[in-house]
Amino acid sequence: MELDFETIRSIAVGSVWTRKTEDGVEFCKMTEEQLAVWDGQSAELGRNARALTGIALDFETNSKTVFLELSADSNLDIYLNGEPYRHYSQTSVLKLYLDGQDNRLTIYLPAHDAPPAVVRLSVDDGAYVKAHKFDKKFLFFGDSITQGWNSTFLGERYDSMSFANIVSRHFNAESVVCGVGGAYFLPESLKKMPFDPDTVIVAYGTNDYFCFPDHALVLNNAAEYLRRAAELYRGKKLFCITPIYRDVGPKEQASFDAYCEQLKQVVRDSAFTLIEGDPLVPHQSDYFSDKTLHPNALGFWLYAKNLIRRMEEKE
């Protein structure tokens, strides 16, 4: 039984708009207005804004088989009843064999590849398909670390192991993850979205330090961003994570650390609850995929576990 467009849209998590095109069913984590803002910054940022970060097909079914065809080869992580089940590297077609009992299936679409469309999704004739019910709604804004770049383990990339996805699973939260590799505090990128979160988590700051030599400008941008976000999401839980550890070299470290302390004060002066980023991941290259900036799968797991603890302390 092939699932129709409305059913696929109902089980797509993390997509603020879902539409049918000649390629299949397409998804996006941002509105057209937001995409236009990032396009105006650079082609790379516009491209990263279109990545399917945090978008998954999440549903319950009693089907014994599930067939998925995508429009392009992609990395896919499959979870069964909330636990890792299968990982596929660069495939466009997969067939899953289940036990025919009541199961929850979560198929994470790629967070970095060119966005594929769903060409076909089918289950056994007579099987039911229904959307998973969530307890919370989270909205994440941030750079490549929020995008989950580059959650690797033994050379393979596991997009489901980004900190945003781990946190979302822990809280059983339906999440929209607006992670954009290379991004920074950009107040005009804040636009009204067709998603009403309970909690908003912002994590910029590390790219800002290097993109803009005038750090006073960066701090002003951060303050304005947080002010606008607090106004847009008035009454929501608001968290801002300052930069995690970054190996900037011994000559640069003192300046970077001083900048991070200034950024922390900007957050303290806002309506956001400060979560200090530097203790979230150990300051050792073993926890990073590129030795200097992006956590690997283990680093992201520690990032998420420490973030969850701090979020729960604030409840």
Side-chain angles (χ1 to χ4, degrees):
M1 177 177 67
E2 185 170 350
L3 303 188
D4 60 21
F5 169 72
E6 289 301 330
T7 302
I8 293 174
R9 182 165 63 176
S10 74
I11 64 174
V13 177
S15 178
V16 300
W17 57 256
T18 303
R19 63 189 178 192
K20 191 171 184 178
T21 70
E22 60 182 14
D23 294 326
V25 181
E26 296 183 349
F27 314 93
C28 194
K29 66 193 177 191
M30 293 190 184
T31 67
E32 295 288 357
E33 279 189 295
Q34 289 171 298
L35 293 176
V37 172
W38 290 115
D39 285 338
Q41 296 295 299
S42 73
E44 180 183 5
L45 289 169
R47 183 171 59 252
N48 290 338
R50 287 170 172 78
L52 303 185
T53 311
I55 296 177
L57 303 171
D58 200 339
F59 58 98
E60 296 171 10
T61 185
N62 61 348
S63 183
K64 288 186 177 181
T65 59
V66 175
F67 176 84
L68 174 67
E69 181 183 356
L70 300 175
S71 61
D73 286 347
S74 305
N75 271 27
L76 298 173
D77 287 350
I78 316 298
Y79 279 58
L80 185 63
N81 300 318
E83 300 294 335
Y85 180 63
R86 295 284 189 274
H87 170 74
Y88 296 89
S89 176
Q90 295 303 301
T91 187
S92 61
V93 175
L94 64 88
K95 191 170 186 178
L96 301 173
Y97 297 91
L98 307 178
D99 59 12
Q101 303 301 307
D102 295 331
N103 289 301
R104 175 190 176 191
L105 193 66
T106 310
I107 303 173
Y108 285 93
L109 298 176
H112 302 87
D113 302 338
V118 171
V119 176
R120 180 184 173 196
L121 178 60
S122 62
V123 298
D124 296 339
D125 289 345
Y128 75 83
V129 171
K130 63 180 181 181
H132 176 69
K133 291 185 178 180
F134 294 93
D135 297 324
K136 300 176 183 292
K137 291 185 175 183
F138 288 176
L139 177 58
F140 294 83
F141 292 110
D143 51 34
S144 57
I145 297 171
T146 300
Q147 189 177 343
W149 197 294
N150 192 1
S151 51
T152 55
F153 177 70
L154 296 179
E156 285 286 325
R157 195 187 76 227
Y158 295 83
D159 290 334
S160 65
M161 292 302 294
S162 71
F163 87 84
N165 283 330
I166 296 172
V167 169
S168 298
R169 287 195 296 272
H170 175 83
F171 288 104
N172 189 33
E174 176 186 1
S175 295
V176 171
V177 184
C178 295
V180 179
Y184 33 78
F185 283 108
L186 186 64
E188 54 265 40
S189 68
L190 285 166
K191 305 291 184 182
K192 188 172 179 59
M193 302 178 68
F195 181 73
D196 186 24
D198 309 310
T199 300
V200 177
I201 301 168
V202 172
Y204 292 110
T206 191
N207 294 322
D208 308 59
Y209 178 85
F210 292 96
C211 288
F212 306 102
D214 183 355
H215 293 153
L217 172 65
V218 171
L219 298 173
N220 286 335
N221 285 342
E224 177 61 14
Y225 184 99
L226 297 178
R227 186 195 67 78
R228 292 191 190 186
E231 182 66 26
L232 191 59
Y233 297 104
R234 186 186 300 272
K236 312 299 184 181
K237 289 185 179 178
L238 305 174
F239 296 100
C240 183
I241 308 167
T242 52
I244 63 171
Y245 168 73
R246 179 168 186 166
D247 184 357
V248 297
K251 291 184 178 180
E252 193 75 23
Q253 196 67 54
S255 176
F256 183 72
D257 290 346
Y259 156 78
C260 288
E261 290 302 318
Q262 291 177 302
L263 185 55
K264 290 175 190 178
Q265 190 56 50
V266 169
V267 180
R268 292 187 186 101
D269 293 338
S270 75
F272 278 72
T273 296
L274 168 66
I275 295 182
E276 298 188 31
D278 45 332
L280 297 181
V281 184
H283 298 188
Q284 296 178 15
S285 61
D286 291 346
Y287 298 95
F288 292 81
S289 62
D290 48 16
K291 307 299 183 184
T292 59
L293 173 60
H294 301 101
N296 55 26
L298 177 57
F300 269 123
W301 183 81
L302 290 169
Y303 185 132
K305 292 300 180 182
N306 287 323
L307 175 58
I308 288 165
R309 185 178 303 113
R310 284 158 177 75
M311 291 174 66
E312 290 179 335
E313 289 172 354
K314 304 300 181 181
E315 289 188 345

